[in-house]
Amino acid sequence: MARSDGYVTALQGLRDRAGTNVEVTFARGCDVLVAPPAGGADRGKIPPKGRTINFDEAVNTARNDDIAIVFVGTDASVEHEGRDRKTLGLTGDQERLVEAVFAANPKTVVVEMSAGPLTVPWIKENIPAILEAWWPGEEGGHAIADVLFGDVNPAGRLPHTVYASEAQVPPQDEYDITKGFTYMYVNGEPLFPFGHGLSYTQFRYRKFAAFIERNFRQRLRDRDD
């Protein structure tokens, strides 16, 4: 997770921003996908609860640090042009990794790096802070560090609705937009609604006003005529 051909990874971005007075440790938690068994039938599925997983290095690192940052998400093996995701949730052992790290260190931040929305109700309800970084560009590592260190106040708003579960997703053969599509017609409460986004401060919008130039209003009137 160091610099590679000009690309700044999240780890490198954090170390660059932290400087020499702060130690940034790293431990690999798990793969994006479950290691496929013979035949690969279970590749990408969420593993059963009884499955034994070894998160010792990640958990011990988190326990000994002041703050734990867990990076989860997807890669091209999960989603890309021409490849649909099989689940809206995190694939592989990722959610259990978050649970294990959080149990070791309640001061845990989750950074989601994905191309599409992730349905993560447990993370929403339990983790103190979530940052959606998508698939960032070359300077993504520095951008993530700027937000986590408070140098930049995050101000992004979701351009879509994040469903609470796959059950809210309309059938693929349904084309009526009023049957559960978009933020206007979603059935039930979404995990994150259209326009959702938090920052490091509180704010509210009020006293909206729209100003239209007179010549623009005249052009509209002429068109109506």
Side-chain angles (χ1 to χ4, degrees):
M1 296 187 65
R3 291 179 185 271
S4 175
D5 299 327
Y7 180 83
V8 182
T9 65
L11 177 61
Q12 187 62 52
L14 290 170
R15 284 177 171 167
D16 288 347
R17 174 57 183 80
T20 57
N21 294 326
V22 177
E23 181 183 6
V24 178
T25 57
F26 168 76
R28 183 178 179 85
C30 64
D31 293 327
V32 170
L33 291 173
V34 177
D42 294 329
R43 185 174 182 82
K45 294 183 179 180
I46 298 175
K49 277 292 184 182
R51 185 168 179 267
T52 301
I53 313 164
N54 188 350
F55 295 142
D56 287 352
E57 183 181 5
V59 168
N60 290 335
T61 300
R63 183 178 291 112
N64 294 325
D65 287 347
D66 295 322
I67 297 173
I69 305 173
V70 185
F71 290 84
V72 297
T74 66
D75 59 17
S77 66
V78 177
E79 58 180 338
H80 63 71
E81 189 70 26
R83 172 171 290 170
D84 295 333
R85 287 161 55 188
K86 297 179 179 179
T87 175
L88 294 178
L90 288 170
T91 54
D93 299 317
Q94 294 182 89
E95 184 156 317
R96 285 194 218 175
L97 170 65
V98 176
E99 294 175 3
V101 170
F102 177 69
N105 188 340
K107 295 181 179 179
T108 294
V109 177
V110 169
V111 179
E112 297 180 354
M113 303 176 72
S114 60
L118 293 169
T119 294
V120 287
W122 188 92
I123 291 176
K124 176 189 177 184
E125 292 300 321
N126 293 276
I127 300 301
I130 306 171
L131 174 64
E132 176 58 73
W134 308 111
W135 284 353
E138 292 184 355
E139 282 292 314
H142 287 149
I144 291 170
D146 286 343
V147 172
L148 293 180
F149 275 84
D151 298 326
V152 172
N153 188 32
R157 301 293 177 263
L158 284 177
H160 55 244
T161 297
V162 179
Y163 291 109
S165 69
E166 284 87 350
Q168 285 185 319
V169 181
Q172 293 301 299
D173 57 355
E174 177 59 73
Y175 297 99
D176 185 347
I177 192 174
T178 65
K179 301 293 181 60
F181 288 94
T182 78
Y183 67 95
M184 295 178 64
Y185 305 109
V186 62
N187 295 316
E189 289 294 324
L191 187 69
F192 296 110
F194 173 85
H196 176 82
L198 304 178
S199 68
Y200 290 127
T201 187
Q202 295 182 345
F203 59 88
R204 63 181 176 180
Y205 301 107
R206 63 181 181 180
K207 295 183 179 180
F208 283 101
F211 299 93
I212 303 177
E213 295 181 5
R214 178 171 299 180
N215 60 345
F216 178 69
R217 187 181 295 110
Q218 183 63 47
R219 289 199 301 273
L220 289 179
R221 187 180 301 113
D222 293 341
R223 178 172 296 180
D224 291 339
D225 295 340

